[in-house]
Amino acid sequence: MLLSHRQLCLLLLCTTQFVALLDFSITMIPLPQIQHSLGFTPGGLQWVINAYGVAIAGFLLLGGRAADLFGRRRVFIAGLLLFTAASLLGGFSHSPAMLVATRALQGFGAAMFSPAAFSLLLAVFPEPAQRNRALGAWTAVAASGFVAGLILGGFITDLLGWRWVLWINVPVGLLVLALSPALPQGRPDAAAAGGSLDVWGALLVASGAATLVFAFANSEHVGLAHPLTFSLVALALALLALFVWVEGRVAAPLMPLAVFLRRSTGGANIVSLLANTALGPTFVVVALAMQEVLGFSATRTGLGLLPMAVAFTLASAWAGPALIARCGTKPVIVGGMLLFIGGLAMLGASLATLASWAASILPGTVLAGIGYGLAFPAWTVAGIDGVPEADHGLAGGMLTTTQEVGSAVGLAVGVAVSIAVLAGGGTAAQGYSGAILVSACLVAAGLACAIVILPGKAARQEAAS
């Protein structure tokens, strides 16, 4: 049966979002092989992941605004071309510096095409009911893409070698590029056409995000309580504060504060940021625990995370949109976050005395997957609720930025907590447990923000009228 035009567009756009999220995690499983092959230091190894995460997080807002200014399909194609070329080049890396640099280029390319794809999706499905179903598919693909990266990373590494976790992007990218004429033009919006790119704003937010991640990554060497760690965190916060100051004064801001200060949009981004601080460390910690404590192979580790991927996908694609239509976004976010926290608490407690995959890992990961899968599409819908069409690329960029920044910072914090526990005489399992329990506390902060900041259905209806 042939796909309709809308179905083809949805498939192409969801495929690129899947690849963007997959590439954040696909290098996690083969990290030991990459370290042995290229000679990474233990502290430098996490930059194989974070170079991508920081680049995509730092430049997503720039990509979203570029899509609004210059045309969504044009920016989508340019970003996907860069991402595909960087994937090809990265597979030929012969040094740590080359791999980290090409991973950063991948992240920059994804920062261009991801928000453009999001705004194209909204253009293809303008009706609210169809849009919510399309967003359900989008968020399900995004949620499963992260976990699929871990699963595919294990299979590909065992069968073909670690370089293929990068080269696998090349045929996918070329196929989407060949079919991209089917996508709408996504011409520049009249409301945005007179603007310009806020490059200084992009550099400030990218520098702030990179410094914050580096502060926690460097704590492996100096400790979490070291003055250098506090100084770097202070510098990162100062750069991000300067970014906010600049955005309130430039003629064409990268992140118009009026958009972010909307209760629904700003609240959804804060919730996304805090919820995603748990995502990165959860996958990495569980993958390391299965390999280093339980002795799983790369392939078996990927399969061990498959139930969480299924929970993600089912909750995001079916349960989440159905509950949003019935209850509204805020109740679904709150309920999903409660389940997410419960799953993390269960997982963190069981990892301290890791006995087996079925007893210690399966229950918590599945419950966490269901909770995150329910909340993800709900805060995505809330993040664009009432945003003008001219700012759809920006809104998509903001949501993905908070997602990537949260994951990158959470990963660095998780590694730092694990190392601190080990330095204090704890076991590896206790270190993993501590990282997950800290993540649960950050998600709890996100839940509190959701309850306080996000408007209920009555408030949204009053604002709309």
Side-chain angles (χ1 to χ4, degrees):
M1 182 178 178
L2 294 176
L3 294 174
S4 69
H5 179 258
R6 281 188 169 188
Q7 289 172 331
L8 176 60
C9 290
L10 180 62
L11 178 63
L12 293 177
L13 296 172
C14 284
T15 297
T16 56
Q17 182 68 356
F18 179 86
V19 169
L21 271 295
L22 176 141
D23 257 71
F24 185 82
S25 60
I26 198 169
T27 54
M28 290 179 180
I29 298 295
L31 284 178
Q33 291 85 350
I34 293 172
Q35 182 180 19
H36 181 265
S37 175
L38 299 182
F40 273 92
T41 64
L45 192 61
Q46 65 177 290
W47 284 100
V48 176
I49 302 167
N50 279 340
Y52 180 84
V54 168
I56 192 172
F59 292 103
L60 268 165
L61 292 176
L62 184 70
R65 180 50 70 196
D68 292 334
L69 288 173
F70 304 127
R72 280 70 183 262
R73 192 172 76 180
R74 184 181 300 168
V75 173
F76 174 83
I77 291 173
L80 189 56
L81 274 171
L82 177 61
F83 176 86
T84 304
S87 298
L88 178 64
L89 186 61
F92 290 105
S93 295
H94 53 75
S95 67
M98 182 176 178
L99 181 57
V100 170
T102 52
R103 288 285 287 164
L105 278 176
Q106 280 185 298
F108 185 78
M112 295 296 107
F113 74 69
S114 183
F118 185 83
S119 54
L120 284 170
L121 183 78
L122 300 182
V124 173
F125 297 94
E127 303 86 355
Q130 292 182 343
R131 173 176 291 181
N132 285 349
R133 286 195 292 270
L135 286 173
W138 173 271
T139 53
V141 165
S144 61
F146 191 98
V147 182
L150 297 171
I151 298 168
L152 290 176
F155 276 117
I156 292 171
T157 301
D158 282 345
L159 293 175
L160 301 171
W162 70 264
R163 296 179 187 274
W164 279 96
V165 301
L166 299 174
W167 285 336
I168 195 67
N169 295 319
V170 177
V172 177
L174 292 176
L175 178 61
V176 174
L177 287 167
L179 296 174
S180 61
L183 297 171
Q185 284 280 352
R187 297 184 186 279
D189 291 291
S196 60
L197 280 178
D198 177 18
V199 177
W200 285 111
L203 292 176
L204 282 171
V205 72
S207 300
T211 304
L212 188 60
V213 173
F214 179 74
F216 291 105
N218 189 64
S219 69
E220 174 189 0
H221 307 292
V222 300
L224 280 171
H226 195 277
L228 179 59
T229 302
F230 286 106
S231 298
L232 288 170
V233 171
L235 175 60
L237 295 178
L239 288 169
L240 294 174
L242 182 59
F243 165 71
V244 173
W245 183 83
V246 167
E247 295 307 280
R249 284 157 179 79
V250 296
L254 192 65
M255 185 187 74
L257 297 183
V259 175
F260 184 78
L261 292 177
R262 295 171 55 89
R263 283 185 64 187
S264 183
T265 303
N269 277 276
I270 292 171
V271 171
S272 172
L273 176 70
L274 291 168
N276 280 289
T277 57
L279 205 61
T282 297
F283 287 118
V284 173
V285 162
V286 171
L288 288 174
M290 284 193 280
Q291 291 185 83
E292 296 185 3
V293 180
L294 298 179
F296 281 22
S297 66
T299 298
R300 195 177 175 194
T301 298
L303 289 174
L305 290 165
L306 185 58
M308 190 174 187
V310 173
F312 261 144
T313 304
L314 294 179
S316 295
W318 288 287
L323 287 172
I324 292 168
R326 177 178 298 181
C327 308
T329 54
K330 184 171 181 176
V332 177
I333 292 171
V334 170
M337 295 281 275
L338 283 169
L339 292 176
F340 191 26
I341 294 166
L344 290 174
M346 186 186 303
L347 179 63
S350 62
L351 283 177
T353 55
L354 185 56
S356 67
W357 171 82
S360 302
I361 292 175
L362 179 62
T365 54
V366 169
L367 184 60
I370 293 171
Y372 184 91
L374 289 174
F376 189 11
W379 75 57
T380 302
V381 172
I384 63 166
D385 187 28
V387 174
E389 185 177 349
D391 291 322
H392 279 169
L394 168 69
M398 288 169 62
L399 283 167
T400 316
T401 295
T402 53
Q403 179 177 319
E404 296 291 348
V405 169
S407 293
V409 172
L411 176 57
V413 171
V415 170
V417 169
S418 296
I419 290 173
V421 172
L422 286 171
T427 65
Q430 289 170 335
Y432 298 148
S433 173
I436 296 298
L437 292 175
V438 168
S439 296
C441 292
L442 292 171
V443 178
L447 172 62
C449 290
I451 294 171
V452 173
I453 299 174
L454 289 175
K457 184 179 292 186
R460 291 201 314 274
Q461 290 173 344
E462 181 179 346
S465 60

